[in-house]
Amino acid sequence: IQFASFLPLHTFLETCSIVVSVMVFVMSRQVAADGANRNMLLLGTAFLGVSVLDFMHAMSYAGMPAMVTPSGPEKAINFWLAARLLAAGALVAAATMSWHATVPRRTAQLAVPATLAVIGAITWIVLCRPQSIPRTFIPGQGLTGFKIVAEWIIIALSLIAAIGFFRHAEMHDRQGSTGVRFDPIALMSAAVVTALAEVFFTIYIDVNGLSNVLGHIYKVIAAWLIYRGLVAVNLQDIEAR
């Protein structure tokens, strides 16, 4: 099934995901105390980077006005892969490390500038040195081997994160240092749904195809589960205080 234009729906779905990523970052700043919770700081700064990369992805999608360079499938895919790898890596780290560790305030203050510097470097490469990135999409043929392998790496990372959060759930581990709360079941579900979404991104031939649309819908569901697992549970405590 091919859609005449996926652009309006794509922009809406990406906006939903971006809003959740920003909320995770804001929540990570709200719950910071004298020493920031290491995992919440990691997730907050990572999802700040994800929000920027997803914004660049949305603005680079086929049919959007040129932003420094013409918009198109490969430009959008390059930002997409960077965002998904960053998100999956952060979830794996949070799922496999203790939630009871803290980092000094100075380290917490440097996290955001360091993240933005890395995101700036990635953006510069995608916009100004796209030839240094392997091909990801060939019109009329579909995805390249590099893109498919990258998606399967993201799927593997997502499943590792799901297993890690399942272990937290088994241990009834739902609260970290500095009063930070998290819902391991919601985060495990988000990781599983992310893996399912990425499967759709390994099989499409046209960016307006049904598999691409379904993958983006699953991505928004995963974003909602991350909201439930990180933002909603901590909002309850903040409102109570």
Side-chain angles (χ1 to χ4, degrees), residues 175-205:
Q175 183 168 345
S177 62
T178 69
V180 170
R181 294 184 181 274
F182 67 103
D183 183 344
I185 297 299
L187 294 176
M188 179 192 72
S189 301
V192 171
V193 172
T194 296
L196 292 174
E198 296 301 325
V199 171
F200 287 107
F201 296 122
T202 67
I203 59 177
Y204 68 87
I205 297 176

Side-chain angles (χ1 to χ4, degrees), residues 226-237:
I226 290 173
Y227 168 83
R228 290 289 305 273
L230 289 175
V231 179
V233 292
N234 287 290
L235 275 177
Q236 294 171 2
D237 284 351

Side-chain angles (χ1 to χ4, degrees), residues 10-96:
H10 176 267
T11 303
F12 170 74
L13 294 175
E14 287 299 329
T15 300
C16 294
S17 297
I18 291 168
V19 168
V20 171
S21 295
V22 172
M23 292 180 73
V24 172
F25 167 69
V26 172
M27 182 57 61
S28 73
R29 313 305 293 180
Q30 290 291 324
V31 299
D34 291 336
N37 178 276
R38 180 182 61 189
N39 285 5
M40 197 64 183
L41 175 67
L42 171 67
L43 289 169
T45 52
F47 276 92
L48 171 64
V50 170
S51 69
V52 176
L53 292 170
D54 275 345
F55 174 78
M56 299 299 290
H57 164 73
M59 293 299 101
S60 301
Y61 206 77
M64 293 296 286
M67 181 180 60
V68 181
T69 58
S71 297
E74 283 201 280
K75 182 179 177 182
I77 288 173
N78 289 337
F79 281 118
W80 169 271
L81 290 178
R84 303 285 70 76
L85 286 168
L86 177 58
L91 287 173
V92 167
T96 55

Side-chain angles (χ1 to χ4, degrees), residues 72-160:
E74 283 201 280
K75 182 179 177 182
I77 288 173
N78 289 337
F79 281 118
W80 169 271
L81 290 178
R84 303 285 70 76
L85 286 168
L86 177 58
L91 287 173
V92 167
T96 55
M97 296 192 304
S98 170
W99 281 74
H100 299 283
T102 60
V103 294
R105 179 177 291 273
R106 181 63 176 171
T107 302
Q109 291 173 340
L110 292 174
V112 171
T115 300
L116 293 178
V118 172
I119 299 305
I122 293 172
T123 301
W124 179 81
I125 292 172
V126 174
L127 294 179
C128 302
R129 293 290 185 272
Q131 67 276 10
S132 64
I133 305 173
R135 296 293 304 273
T136 56
F137 182 85
I138 300 175
Q141 298 182 29
L143 304 175
T144 66
F146 172 80
K147 205 272 190 181
I148 294 173
V149 169
E151 294 288 5
W152 280 106
I153 290 173
I154 296 168
I155 291 169
L157 291 173
S158 298
L159 293 177
I160 292 171

